[in-house]
Amino acid sequence: MIPLVEVQGLVKDYGSLRAVQEVSFEVYPGDVLGFLGPNGAGKSTTLRMLLSLIRPTQGSIQIFGKDLISNRTAILSKIGCIIEKPDFYKYLTARQNLQLFARWSPTHIPSSRISELLDFVGLGSRGNHRVGGFSHGMRQRLGLAQALLNNPDLIILDEPTTGLDPQGIIEVRELILKLKQETNKTIILSSHLLSEIELIANRVVILNKGKALVQGEVSELVNASELLVSIQVDNGLKAQEALQQSRFSGHEILLSNQEIQLKTSRQEIPEILGILMDNGISIYAVESKRKLEDYFLKLTSN
């Protein structure tokens, strides 16, 4: 399959500071590529270069099989984006804002398209309300409608859930998933939240300090069934012995004071706890986390 986006050796310097260091990756049609990394990792800088908002110091960017610098106008006409928080005229309604952006489009956008997008992002009943009264989450959803106005082939979203409350995060996440499932659009999405990338993306690039540390299929990097489970008990040695005499004897069981750790699936946790209780072992706490969380933290802590 031919990549929709192909980035090779991308570098961005700001004086003596190298913000992006030799980043390379591909995005294929229908992909949702997650850019994952802590704040300051170089995610936003890379996305700004993909949108030609800033020019790379070195490297090449090909989008839709064409060089971005040589074909900027044609390429950007087929891209929709949200970079940082979307900005609107607060004294205008949601519909009027979208109508204004539609007038600036090189292609004709009918009013029916605006109504369709307001419904898609869940603002159909608020289309005639002024944006000044919208919550941050509603403005993010309106921003997504704006990004979709020209029916783009590629959508770039830079930290779309930043600053949202938990409900707002869920709403934006569900919209992106809806976009992925119903339209099969190609999406590049940046976030510092591992949980968001896991739920939305099929491929991921992990960045830190301007470098792409790892990239690949989320399904290969994240084994959702395998967890690292920590159990606090009153007698760690006795707990370890009880599990070694059960069907979990083949599991690597780590002992640390009054805590045991083992890799297992979520479905097996109740059985493990039952074995411990049957052996008279008191359980004080159970904590589980995916292996990728440790991997991500290890990669980005150096």
Side-chain angles (χ1 to χ4, degrees):
M1 186 182 294
I2 299 173
L4 198 73
V5 178
E6 188 171 6
V7 173
Q8 293 290 334
L10 207 59
V11 173
K12 181 59 184 177
D13 293 334
Y14 292 103
S16 60
L17 172 66
R18 177 150 289 186
V20 174
Q21 306 183 48
E22 296 286 339
V23 168
S24 301
F25 61 90
E26 296 85 32
V27 186
Y28 294 90
D31 269 352
V32 178
L33 178 74
F35 257 36
L36 179 64
N39 293 329
K43 304 186 299 296
S44 294
T45 302
T46 301
L47 295 187
R48 282 175 170 80
M49 286 189 279
L50 289 181
L51 292 165
S52 74
L53 296 174
I54 54 177
R55 194 158 184 163
T57 305
Q58 296 175 30
S60 65
I61 301 171
Q62 294 242 336
I63 302 180
F64 310 126
K66 299 178 180 179
D67 178 72
L68 175 60
I69 294 175
S70 306
N71 302 273
R72 182 179 185 273
T73 301
I75 288 172
L76 292 183
S77 69
K78 298 192 286 183
I79 297 177
C81 68
I82 298 179
I83 298 296
E84 295 183 343
K85 63 178 183 179
D87 206 5
F88 297 101
Y89 294 99
K90 296 181 178 62
Y91 59 89
L92 297 180
T93 67
R95 184 179 299 277
Q96 287 169 334
N97 268 282
L98 292 182
Q99 288 171 338
L100 188 60
F101 288 114
R103 286 186 200 134
W104 296 338
S105 173
T107 58
H108 173 66
I109 298 173
S111 58
S112 59
R113 174 66 176 167
I114 292 173
S115 297
E116 173 190 325
L117 288 172
L118 286 170
D119 287 337
F120 181 82
V121 300
L123 294 174
S125 63
R126 302 296 296 270
N128 295 321
H129 293 211
R130 290 186 180 181
V131 173
F134 281 14
S135 67
H136 181 36
M138 292 169 68
R139 291 182 192 181
Q140 286 295 95
R141 285 188 275 150
L142 185 59
L144 187 56
Q146 177 195 333
L148 295 172
L149 270 174
N150 62 337
N151 195 23
D153 295 319
L154 174 65
I155 301 163
I156 296 177
L157 306 174
D158 185 20
E159 299 270 7
T161 60
T162 295
L164 296 180
D165 60 22
Q167 183 59 39
I169 290 173
I170 292 170
E171 289 173 356
V172 171
R173 179 205 302 153
E174 288 179 347
L175 268 177
I176 297 170
L177 286 170
K178 184 180 178 183
L179 189 63
K180 169 186 175 181
Q181 293 160 359
E182 295 185 6
T183 68
N184 198 37
K185 294 289 187 185
T186 304
I187 303 169
I188 300 176
L189 167 80
S190 76
S191 180
H192 62 278
L193 300 174
L194 174 63
S195 57
E196 291 301 300
I197 294 299
E198 285 187 68
L199 288 170
I200 297 172
N202 67 293
R203 295 181 62 240
V204 65
V205 176
I206 299 179
L207 287 90
N208 191 42
K209 297 180 180 177
K211 296 180 180 179
L213 302 180
V214 68
Q215 61 178 297
E217 298 288 330
V218 171
S219 59
E220 295 174 0
L221 295 173
V222 181
N223 184 344
S225 65
E226 192 171 62
L227 308 172
L228 180 65
V229 180
S230 300
I231 307 171
Q232 292 182 22
V233 294
D234 61 342
N235 189 326
L237 184 58
K238 186 178 178 181
Q240 185 185 43
E241 290 172 352
L243 290 175
Q244 286 175 338
Q245 292 171 11
S246 71
R247 76 176 186 90
F248 296 99
S249 59
H251 289 57
E252 182 182 1
I253 302 170
L254 305 177
L255 176 65
S256 174
N257 297 324
Q258 292 183 311
E259 181 181 62
I260 58 170
Q261 290 185 347
L262 71 160
K263 294 172 184 175
T264 187
S265 69
R266 188 178 300 277
Q267 292 77 13
E268 291 176 328
I269 294 176
E271 184 180 350
I272 291 169
L273 299 181
I275 292 170
L276 297 180
M277 289 187 288
D278 288 345
N279 282 270
I281 297 163
S282 296
I283 299 167
Y284 301 127
V286 180
E287 180 184 3
S288 65
K289 56 184 175 181
R290 279 178 286 272
K291 291 191 302 178
L292 185 61
E293 292 181 37
D294 284 339
Y295 180 49
F296 173 67
L297 291 172
K298 184 178 179 180
L299 281 175
T300 56
S301 62
N302 297 323

